[in-house]
Amino acid sequence: MTSPRYSIFSLARNALGYHRSWSRAWRSPEPQPSYDVVIVGGGGHGLATAYYLAREHDAGSIAVLEKGWLGGGNTGRNTTIIRSNYLWDESAHLYEKSLKLYEGLSRELNFNIMLSQRGVLNLAHNEHDLKELSRRVRAIRLNGIDSEVLDPAGVKAEVPIVNTSPDVRYPILGASIQRRGGIARHDAVAWGFARAADARGVDIVQNCEVTGIDVSGGRVTGLRTSRGRIAANKVGLVAAGHSSVLAAMAGLRLPIESHTLQAMVSEPIKPILHGVVMSNAVHVYVSQSDKGELVIGAGMDGYNSYSQRGSFQIVEGQMGALVELFPIFSRLRMLRQWGGIVDVCPDASPIVGKTPVDGLYINCGWGTGGFKATPGSGWAFAHTIAQDRPHALNAPFALERFASGALIDEHGAAAVAH
Amino acid sequence: MLLIPCPWCGERDESEFACGGEAHIARPPDPDALNDAEWADYLFMRTNPKGSQRERWCHTHGCGRWFNVERDTVTHRILSVYRMGEPPPKDAP
């Protein structure tokens, strides 16, 4: 439709034209007065939902409303780590579905998301860590997902620059590794889904903030936005960082607290760190981007915030942990730092499903680890919206679990402090 | 970093404190009378406002005492501080 297929030939053709005639990757339509399905939130999860709705379901007309620009929220503010090494069956199945979709996503979307399955290591620093990690690896393998335990020599073989000396405060006693885990380019994931959804007729409307949700007789009827009222039969809320604010517009309360999660990148250096290294105990995780920058994450700030600014002592702790693990980085300068707002559930698992309001669906609470789930989340949420019932993959992640007590405790797999 | 005025110790760095989340969530007097949804609302549901929020803080690495803070979650400005058991300043007669 609007965007021709990307290939080596289109690249060569446009190179000869000094790249002046590339067409827009997606349209910028005016919002229509009414849609069958409106997705609120143009981040990765929202765009993936719209794409899978258009590709796999007969959902009618679809729009994605984004208050800012595409992928300008947490999609563009994360550390791009992808893995599926979760303890409980429910999580393992959902995140593994996502990883499998990621593995074919560049081809499927005709957009290079630069998936690099370079392996994700989770370090153990004491006997308890090691036992817990071994248990986790066995549980993951029982779910048919690749995972191994490494001893300190194995960690050293994978990551030669890590400090495996026994004489440090938090010595490395071992690690788990998921070799299919890795990183991808976060912007490309948002752009790829946007372009593919647009090509299937989805209206992506940017600079359109939802200011109210109209509910009549227990059923959603439409949205009030900064660009006028938009009627809708079904509405999916996928607005990480503002889930509680949006839900309150429909009179709903969520078990969510919003916190700042900070990350930063260093100055670019030559390739030195191959895999992704995470440590639950000292609260740092790091990988090296294809540009050469170290991408470094930490635990989240301890109080509620919508400010996208974090506290300095978190940065200080994160740097201390990084330098202890990698003394070689001690003189590296940091280039920039940012904060995103993560919506955290009490069990560190997301909410993907229906709400008490008919026609209103919610996908939120991914906490610190939503990026890895982007395609799987969108795939399952699209099914939920189109069929008006959850898929088996996301049924355990219903809002009702907080009343039934069937929580899915993944604090251990979240890999950062909550 | 926040500068938090502990009612007992005065202004101290945020790193001395621990945040205990939303304040004034009263335990229902008769839990047996509640259904599961009402109990879940008490246990898990939070207002999580964008703007002014009343929350509990503990001066963990100082006097160790709990107190209430009213803080804006967008600007991080601390609007008021009051002791446990005291009504929030705006509600005071």
Side-chain angles (χ1 to χ4, degrees):
Chain A
M1 283 173 72
T2 49
S3 181
R5 236 185 122 65
Y6 294 155
S7 68
I8 184 71
F9 303 109
S10 70
L11 186 65
R13 197 166 52 245
N14 280 283
L16 291 173
Y18 297 97
H19 297 292
R20 279 182 301 224
S21 50
W22 285 106
S23 57
R24 283 182 173 274
W26 53 83
R27 297 164 297 134
S28 185
E30 282 298 313
Q32 300 295 311
S34 116
Y35 289 96
D36 291 311
V37 183
V38 174
I39 304 298
V40 182
H45 289 233
L47 293 165
T49 304
Y51 170 72
Y52 289 113
L53 267 173
R55 195 195 74 169
E56 302 202 346
H57 304 279
D58 184 17
S61 59
I62 305 165
V64 177
L65 307 184
E66 165 56 45
K67 77 169 177 179
W69 64 93
L70 289 190
N74 292 344
T75 301
R77 289 169 182 268
N78 61 73
T79 49
T80 78
I81 299 166
I82 294 168
R83 58 191 172 88
S84 60
N85 54 354
Y86 278 68
L87 175 64
W88 301 109
D89 294 351
E90 296 86 345
S91 321
H93 295 155
L94 184 58
Y95 288 102
E96 178 63 10
K97 168 74 182 175
S98 194
L99 178 51
K100 284 192 170 138
L101 287 171
Y102 261 125
E103 285 173 332
L105 204 58
S106 288
R107 185 173 293 271
E108 157 131 16
L109 300 179
N110 178 230
F111 203 107
N112 187 2
I113 62 159
M114 297 169 79
L115 176 68
S116 167
Q117 293 177 290
R118 53 182 67 182
V120 173
L121 286 90
N122 287 76
L123 303 179
H125 296 279
N126 54 50
E127 281 300 325
H128 175 78
D129 275 2
L130 204 54
K131 283 180 181 154
E132 178 60 30
L133 188 138
S134 308
R135 174 200 179 204
R136 187 176 301 277
V137 164
R138 291 189 178 96
I140 293 163
R141 291 172 70 115
L142 283 173
N143 275 316
I145 301 169
D146 74 297
S147 197
E148 300 160 39
V149 178
L150 300 176
D151 60 10
V155 176
K156 194 79 179 166
E158 287 292 329
V159 190
I161 57 170
V162 76
N163 183 10
T164 48
S165 160
D167 298 329
V168 294
R169 186 170 175 191
Y170 301 106
I172 293 170
L173 300 188
S176 67
I177 183 168
Q178 184 181 19
R179 296 188 189 276
R180 286 166 59 240
I183 57 174
R185 186 173 177 217
H186 48 0
D187 295 326
V189 172
W191 297 337
F193 272 122
R195 176 168 167 271
D198 177 88
R200 288 175 182 269
V202 173
D203 277 3
I204 299 168
V205 185
Q206 302 181 69
N207 296 309
C208 181
E209 181 172 1
V210 171
T211 54
I213 298 172
D214 292 333
V215 178
S216 171
R219 184 166 183 88
V220 71
T221 58
L223 298 162
R224 276 163 279 145
T225 79
S226 57
R227 295 176 70 172
R229 188 177 188 280
I230 297 172
N233 292 331
K234 293 179 174 181
V235 172
L237 304 179
V238 203
H242 277 81
S243 307
S244 299
V245 176
L246 271 174
M249 292 178 190
L252 302 176
R253 272 161 66 78
L254 297 177
I256 276 182
E257 293 196 330
S258 299
H259 289 255
T260 303
L261 180 68
Q262 301 184 73
M264 62 183 65
V265 294
S266 74
E267 58 188 327
I269 49 176
K270 289 189 176 178
I272 191 165
L273 179 63
H274 179 65
V276 182
V277 179
M278 317 183 73
S279 171
N280 228 344
V282 299
H283 303 313
V284 75
Y285 40 100
V286 59
S287 65
Q288 186 171 19
S289 75
D290 293 334
K291 283 190 286 183
E293 302 157 337
L294 296 184
V295 183
I296 308 158
M300 64 185 200
D301 283 56
Y303 51 87
N304 286 23
S305 174
Y306 287 88
S307 73
Q308 296 189 328
R309 280 183 296 133
S311 290
F312 185 72
Q313 82 268 11
I314 301 284
V315 175
E316 202 176 11
Q318 171 186 7
M319 288 296 98
L322 180 75
V323 171
E324 170 157 312
L325 289 179
F326 302 98
I328 194 174
F329 292 152
S330 65
R331 281 179 289 172
L332 201 60
R333 276 172 289 221
M334 294 300 132
L335 206 61
R336 56 198 165 85
Q337 172 271 354
W338 65 92
I341 303 305
V342 296
D343 291 343
V344 183
C345 281
D347 57 355
S349 287
I351 300 167
V352 186
K354 299 175 71 170
T355 71
V357 178
D358 284 343
L360 185 67
Y361 307 84
I362 194 155
N363 183 346
C364 66
W366 290 92
T368 57
F371 178 72
K372 71 174 84 67
T374 304
S377 155
W379 188 88
F381 196 46
H383 183 281
T384 307
I385 294 173
Q387 311 289 327
D388 193 38
R389 59 187 158 77
H391 188 271
L393 276 180
N394 65 310
F397 296 92
L399 187 54
E400 291 83 38
R401 76 176 184 270
F402 295 95
S404 71
L407 303 185
I408 304 163
D409 179 8
E410 287 290 2
H411 282 98
V416 293
H418 278 76
Chain B
M1 185 176 312
L2 305 179
L3 203 56
I4 300 173
C6 169
W8 287 274
C9 311
E11 285 192 337
R12 299 292 181 88
D13 284 348
E14 169 200 330
S15 52
E16 293 185 16
F17 297 84
C19 184
E22 187 176 330
H24 307 297
I25 298 174
R27 185 183 168 88
D30 185 7
D32 287 342
L34 302 184
N35 62 32
D36 288 347
E38 290 165 333
W39 184 244
D41 191 79
Y42 157 68
L43 209 56
F44 296 122
M45 302 301 160
R46 295 293 178 264
T47 312
N48 194 24
K50 185 177 185 180
S52 171
Q53 154 154 300
R54 290 168 185 151
E55 57 198 13
R56 301 169 305 168
W57 285 79
C58 181
H59 195 181
T60 324
H61 302 295
C63 63
R65 296 217 240 190
W66 286 91
F67 57 98
N68 294 308
V69 173
E70 187 177 9
R71 184 179 60 89
D72 190 303
T73 57
V74 180
T75 63
H76 291 179
R77 186 177 297 279
I78 292 174
L79 306 167
S80 64
V81 173
Y82 52 102
R83 295 185 185 191
M84 282 293 162
E86 290 179 2
K90 273 183 194 164
D91 295 348

